Each structure stands twice: as structure tokens, then as C-alpha cells.
Amino acid sequence: MAVLLQSLCIKLGVVTGRDLAQACRKYFSFWPNIVLYLLCEAAIIATDVAEVIGTAIALNLLFHIPLPWGVVLTALDVLLVLVGWKVKYLKIFEGIIITLVFSCAACFAVLLHKSHPDWRKVALGFVPSKALFTEKGALYIAMGIIGATVMPHNLYLHSSIVKYRASRNQTQIGQINEIEDDDSDQSDAEERQPITRKEHLPVTLRMTLIDCVVALCFALLINAAILIVAAAAFYETGRTDIAELSDAFELLKELLGNAAGYLFAVALLFAGQSSTITGTMAGQIVMMGFLGSSWKVKPWVRQSITRVLAIAPSMAVALIRGDKGVNELLVLTQVILSIQLPFAVWPLVYFTSSKRIMTVKYVEKEDSLDAGAHNGSTSSVSSIRDPEVDDSVVEVQNFANGPFLTALAIFVAIMITVFNVVLLVQVASGQT
């Protein structure tokens, strides 16, 4: 599901030059747009409550730093990242995230080796089971996993950052360039700056999709390793009384050695840092995309507001509850992500399935020669033009989802929505 949804984000950002939040502001009326924005902010806050607390616990386990101070340290380092954020540093940011994720993966690879799982049972664990609906709490955990894996705010983030590799100014595929911010309040009748050159558009879509598939398959392996280690180290040994992350830390040291416990804490630290960085960047994109020109504040003010909205609940939890009951809180925050997911998925499916939104018109313009035009060829670029009244339009290309992809995307959206409705009914009736 994550691969499918992220591929739609890529298509939306590269073809239209608008991220998901900007598209919502352009094509939806005021109140639905505001509701979607508030729901997305709630999801980002839920993510940061989980990741900031998780990072603070990791600092406590590794260096015995009290939870409130760990929250403060986590907040400060992410703010430093945001202050230094510029498009030209995108590769550095990507490098930081890749390093954190690979470090987390390496830790769990070692833990996987140490825990000696029964691989036959691991294989059977991938087979769908009716226990999802019959066992109390199973659906609650499953929806938390979906929310934590797909992460609705990452759909907004990914649809935004892919645009910087689709600039019409790029001289080679994948090159990062600044792009002119698209004011989504404009009508389609107005000409807007094209997002990319004709010859680069299909290649950019294909290469970005490959990048997405590789990254998410790697994420699948990490998430699977986390579950396998937990099952092999705790459940198979009969130790099902793990209430807190600190309990898991101590039991891993007891069962697999001190190194295993510290590997778990390091993985927790790296995972928390990567998620808080991407979550905060998503918050900035969501705020700018949904509110647009009506939000007249400086960028650093936007960044501070976004961060405070996320840090305040985390600090409250750290001060009031400490590390007691944090496990339940962490799962709850991921379930909140799952509940918010349909409100991001349905607009994404609608936009990418619309021929009106996803059709690109190419025109020939003598003043739009690109950096490769020294060979004498005229560059074709995309623009909003009507081919019936403008004879400069030379080609119209439709990038909307085909019938099969549309049906598959709708099926996924319906499945996520139904699961969430069933979950809410279970919670309301006390079955979870």
C-alpha cells in the first residue's frame, strides 16, 4: 500500500508541480481544506509525541538523561536542522536520513541474528489470518502498524520534495534545483511556470518510482525485523509481560546479552531522530501548502509554530507520566495516524485519477530554450494552454491513472477506510 500511495504522490508532484497540500487548497473549497489541514496537523503532532518520547527514552536508556531533558534535546536538534534547511542542502538532508535508517537497520539485523527466530513461523506470519478481527486488540495493533508505515503526513512531504528533482532548469536527470513556488490559488486558465521539460518528465517519473520502491521495500524489512525480534526474544520465551520500552531494553540484555540491549536503544534513538526530522519538515510543507498566501508570517515563525505544536504534548507526557504507560501511548499515536490516513489517501486518489488535473500540454516557445538547446533544437515545455484556441500547443499528454491503477487505488482507500471504521466501532463498544 505504501509503494502504491507514494507512487501516486510522485506522479502528482512531478506532473502538476503541486504537492498534495497545495492541490487540496486549489481544488477544494475553504472549509474542507481547513478540516484536512487540522487533521494533518493532528497526525503530525501524534507522530512527534511518539517519536520525541521514543528518542527521549533512548537517551535515558543510553545516557540516563531524564525524560523532560531528552524531549528538550530532541526539540533543539530538529530546530537546528530546520534553521539550516535549504533546497540546495537536500542531498545532505537525504544523506542524514539514510544514515539514520541504515544504522537502525544494522542494529536490528544484529538483533535478528542473536534472537534465532523460527523462520517457518516467520513465513506463516505473513499469511493473512482471521485473528485480525477475532482476537481482542489485534486490529488495534495492526492499524497502528499501518499508520506507522504509511504515515499520512509523509504523503504530503514526498509529493513536495520530488518537485526539486523535476525542475525545468535541470541539465541532467535527478539534479536538484530551486523551483518557483506555485500559487495554488491561481485558476487553470492562467499560464503557470512548467514544472519540468518534456524529455525529462517520463524519465524523472520512472527513476523516482524506482527510488521509492527500493526505499519502501527496505523499510518493510526493518519493520518485519522489529516484529520478528520481539516475537522470538519475548513471546517464544514466554515473557509476555513487556509493558514499557525500558522493560524490553532490560530483557534483551538478559536474554541476548548487554550488547543486544544497547543495540535496541541505539536503534530507538536513530529511528526517533529520522522520524522527527521528516515529521517536522512535513509540518512545514503542510502549513505552507494548505494555508498558502493567507499565512503571512516569516518562514522561521512557521517552523517554530510547527515544532511547538508537536513538542508541547510530548513535554506534557514526559512530565506527567514519565516512562510509565508510554507503550500504550506510543501505539495510540500510531493508530491516530491510521485514522487520519483516509483523509490524505482519498484526495490523492482523486487528484491523480483526474484527467483535467493530470493532463500536460506542451508548447513551442522560442524564448524557452533550455541549457541543452545549443544544438539548435527548440525546447518543448509544459504549460496551461487550450489547444483549441492556441496553435502553439504541439502535444497533449495525459498522466492520469489508468483504469486498473484507479481501481487498485480505490480498493486500497476503501480497505483502509473500512478497517478504520471497524476499529472505531470496536473501541466505542469496548472490544479493544
Side-chain angles (χ1 to χ4, degrees), residues 3-332:
V3 170
L4 172 63
L5 296 175
Q6 291 287 6
S7 68
L8 298 185
C9 289
I10 292 169
K11 183 186 291 188
L12 179 67
V14 171
V15 172
T16 71
R18 297 184 178 98
D19 58 51
L20 183 55
Q22 290 173 327
C24 287
R25 187 168 104 251
K26 178 173 178 59
Y27 296 107
F28 294 154
S29 59
F30 176 78
W31 285 112
N33 188 64
I34 292 299
V35 170
L36 290 174
Y37 166 64
L38 293 177
L39 287 171
C40 192
E41 281 286 11
I44 292 171
I45 292 171
T47 300
D48 269 358
V49 169
E51 307 302 352
V52 171
I53 289 293
T55 302
I57 291 175
L59 292 172
N60 177 263
L61 296 176
L62 291 170
F63 309 111
H64 306 291
I65 298 174
L67 283 183
W69 284 107
V71 170
V72 172
L73 289 174
T74 304
L76 289 177
D77 64 10
V78 175
L79 278 176
L80 288 174
V81 169
L82 280 178
V83 169
W85 162 251
K86 290 183 180 178
V87 172
K88 65 180 181 179
Y89 299 141
L90 180 59
K91 285 188 176 180
I92 297 177
F93 278 77
E94 290 175 338
I96 292 173
I97 298 299
I98 290 172
T99 301
L100 291 170
V101 171
F102 267 95
S103 300
C104 180
C107 292
F108 271 101
V110 175
L111 289 174
L112 195 63
H113 174 72
K114 285 179 170 289
S115 59
H116 302 293
D118 183 333
W119 291 106
R120 184 185 66 84
K121 290 184 177 180
V122 170
L124 290 175
F126 282 96
V127 179
S129 168
K130 65 179 181 180
L132 180 67
F133 297 101
T134 58
E135 290 188 10
K136 185 176 181 179
L139 182 60
Y140 185 79
I141 295 294
M143 295 311 294
I145 293 173
I146 290 177
T149 305
V150 181
M151 285 194 172
H153 56 281
N154 274 357
L155 300 179
Y156 293 93
L157 175 64
H158 201 188
S159 62
S160 178
I161 61 175
V162 294
K163 297 185 298 181
Y164 299 112
R165 280 194 166 88
S167 168
R168 67 189 180 90
N169 297 320
Q170 66 182 186
T171 57
Q172 57 184 1
I173 299 298
Q175 180 181 1
I176 296 173
N177 285 286
E178 291 272 8
I179 60 173
E180 183 179 343
D181 287 336
D182 175 36
D183 187 351
S184 300
D185 296 328
Q186 292 179 351
S187 67
D188 275 336
E190 298 177 46
E191 181 180 351
R192 63 181 173 86
Q193 198 79 342
I195 181 61
T196 190
R197 300 203 314 249
K198 174 184 175 182
E199 62 270 25
H200 283 180
L201 187 52
V203 181
T204 300
L205 283 172
R206 184 170 65 254
M207 298 304 293
T208 311
L209 179 60
I210 292 172
D211 174 68
C212 169
V213 171
V214 171
L216 287 173
C217 287
F218 186 71
L220 169 65
L221 296 177
I222 298 177
N223 288 328
I226 293 171
L227 292 174
I228 294 167
V229 168
F234 304 146
Y235 183 80
E236 287 295 305
T237 60
R239 298 294 296 271
T240 58
D241 57 338
I242 309 302
E244 313 293 344
L245 290 172
S246 56
D247 296 337
F249 172 74
E250 295 297 337
L251 188 54
L252 280 172
K253 291 202 302 182
E254 176 186 330
L255 296 175
L256 305 179
N258 285 339
Y262 286 107
L263 280 171
F264 171 76
V266 169
L268 183 62
L269 177 64
F270 288 154
Q273 286 297 96
S274 63
S275 293
T276 49
I277 290 173
T278 56
T280 303
M281 291 176 66
Q284 176 74 354
I285 288 167
V286 164
M287 185 176 288
M288 293 173 63
F290 275 111
L291 301 183
S293 56
S294 63
W295 189 248
K296 298 287 188 180
V297 296
K298 295 180 179 179
W300 70 268
V301 176
R302 286 199 192 99
Q303 293 164 356
S304 299
I305 292 173
T306 302
R307 201 64 197 144
V308 168
L309 286 173
I311 289 298
S314 304
M315 181 61 76
V317 170
L319 292 172
I320 296 172
R321 301 195 62 178
D323 60 352
K324 301 301 181 184
V326 166
N327 186 61
E328 289 80 5
L329 178 65
L330 295 181
V331 177
L332 173 62

